[in-house]
Amino acid sequence: MIYLQKGLRNNKLAEINTDSSDWQWLIKQMAIKAPLVNSIEKANRYKQNQAEFIITGKLEGQQRNDTSLKNRSIIFFDIDNTNGDDYKVSVHHIESVLKDIAYLIYPTISNGYKGTRLRVAIPTDQSFNADQRDKMGSYLVDLLPKNWQTDLTSYRSNWSQLAGMSVLNAYSLERNDQPIINDIAEFLILKKIPVQDNVIIMSPLNKQATSPIGQPVRPDRQSWQDITNNALTSLANPPETNRHTYYSSLVGSLLFMKTDPSVIKTLLFWSNSHSNNPLPYNELQRTIHSVSRTAERK
């Protein structure tokens, strides 16, 4: 089933009745042209009031939340930063690694307005739940370049997070960034996704370190001391771009350090207030809540 919402301010979902599958409906949708969106302020205003967002899957009842959303049929994710690659080069990278999987690559409206902002949609051979979503997300991220910043809408965000539809604003229209469809390959087969959480057996000479909460830390991961130093340093140097990814990562690091939720909120709002391009209050609040909920489930 497809559920459509217009504008982030509006909490009402409309069911879309169609004889085709969720995937077939999605790839037939034309990109919305919004040539007047030519600044950060207009991009934010458009997303709040006019942009279209969807969920594909099964909801019980009219209210959208992590409990009422029982499953999904398509996984969406954003590419927030491509380390300097432009739109066409980025699309080529994605096409190369996903050549055997059906996908839809399309431009969306970024809060920062300019820069490469892609969204990728991938259909699955069967509906999936929250646990399966995590494994799919890890698998797909590992296929992409390591220096890209990726925010999977149905992976690292809330389970019931909405996904924006294709929008061509003044910037993407100027570059002619059109959606790309691969509908001749097979859907992503859940059973073919490698298990990500195998237990690693350590030798006595390579003893595993532990985190502040007593959890084992893999040797190829950062030590908790490094994570602590990086998190505290980052608070005082908030970026002007890719802020959602930045604050999501920061919340995760602070939760890893067993920081009290109220302290996390205070620290992030202090950091945001010292940014030259701060996030709106409700967006930062939603980011903190999203990452915290995901951590609770894990």
Side-chain angles (χ1 to χ4, degrees), residues 135-170:
K135 290 184 173 62
M136 280 191 293
S138 296
Y139 171 70
L140 292 169
V141 166
D142 286 343
L143 295 178
L144 298 171
K146 303 305 180 188
N147 55 8
W148 283 13
Q149 292 181 2
T150 308
D151 176 27
L152 282 91
T153 301
S154 53
Y155 166 52
R156 290 191 179 125
S157 305
N158 279 348
W159 167 235
S160 58
Q161 183 80 15
L162 294 164
M165 297 290 284
S166 178
V167 178
L168 296 167
N169 64 8

Side-chain angles (χ1 to χ4, degrees), residues 33-274:
K33 295 183 178 181
L36 298 179
V37 177
N38 57 10
S39 68
I40 294 174
E41 293 75 17
K42 289 182 180 179
N44 287 329
R45 196 179 310 133
Y46 182 86
K47 291 179 72 172
Q48 292 295 320
N49 300 295
Q50 294 176 262
E52 293 185 348
F53 300 86
I54 63 167
I55 278 186
T56 60
K58 174 63 176 176
L59 270 172
E60 285 190 354
Q62 298 285 328
Q63 198 70 23
R64 177 180 64 88
N65 55 51
D66 287 356
T67 302
S68 62
L69 180 60
K70 300 305 178 183
N71 58 60
R72 287 179 176 268
S73 59
I74 299 173
I75 188 167
F76 295 85
F77 60 94
D78 294 334
I79 307 296
D80 285 329
N81 185 285
T82 57
N83 198 38
D85 293 339
D86 63 18
Y87 187 90
K88 294 186 186 306
V89 171
S90 303
V91 167
H92 178 70
H93 276 308
I94 298 170
E95 289 177 313
S96 298
V97 299
L98 300 182
K99 60 181 181 298
D100 297 324
I101 305 172
Y103 58 75
L104 170 63
I105 307 170
Y106 60 90
T108 64
I109 283 195
S110 168
N111 286 336
Y113 172 57
K114 288 195 174 183
T116 302
R117 182 67 182 272
L118 303 171
R119 177 164 287 131
V120 182
I122 297 177
T124 54
D125 67 323
Q126 58 184 287
S127 59
F128 56 91
N129 59 29
D131 291 335
Q132 292 169 314
R133 167 203 63 171
D134 287 345
K135 290 184 173 62
M136 280 191 293
S138 296
Y139 171 70
L140 292 169
V141 166
D142 286 343
L143 295 178
L144 298 171
K146 303 305 180 188
N147 55 8
W148 283 13
Q149 292 181 2
T150 308
D151 176 27
L152 282 91
T153 301
S154 53
Y155 166 52
R156 290 191 179 125
S157 305
N158 279 348
W159 167 235
S160 58
Q161 183 80 15
L162 294 164
M165 297 290 284
S166 178
V167 178
L168 296 167
N169 64 8
Y171 190 61
S172 51
L173 276 170
E174 178 183 327
R175 300 184 306 180
N176 195 30
D177 295 340
Q178 297 296 325
I180 306 293
I181 302 171
N182 177 21
D183 60 348
I184 58 174
E186 63 182 9
F187 287 10
L188 182 62
I189 300 175
L190 268 59
K191 290 183 179 180
K192 286 187 176 181
I193 296 176
V195 175
Q196 303 292 324
D197 49 4
N198 288 335
V199 177
I200 298 177
I201 301 175
M202 305 298 297
S203 69
L205 297 178
N206 194 14
K207 187 178 180 181
Q208 224 169 15
T210 58
S211 74
I213 57 176
Q215 296 294 329
V217 178
R218 279 171 35 188
D220 60 336
R221 298 284 179 86
Q222 281 183 300
S223 69
W224 68 265
Q225 292 95 334
D226 288 341
I227 292 175
T228 303
N229 291 333
N230 291 338
L232 295 177
T233 302
S234 295
L235 282 168
N237 298 284
E240 295 184 30
T241 60
N242 303 313
R243 296 157 300 162
H244 290 87
T245 301
Y246 163 79
Y247 282 118
S248 294
S249 176
L250 197 51
V251 173
S253 296
L254 292 168
L255 287 170
F256 177 82
M257 293 185 287
K258 294 292 285 182
T259 308
D260 186 89
S262 63
V263 175
I264 292 177
K265 184 175 179 180
T266 299
L267 289 172
L268 263 69
F269 277 99
W270 175 86
S271 176
N272 190 50
S273 68
H274 286 75

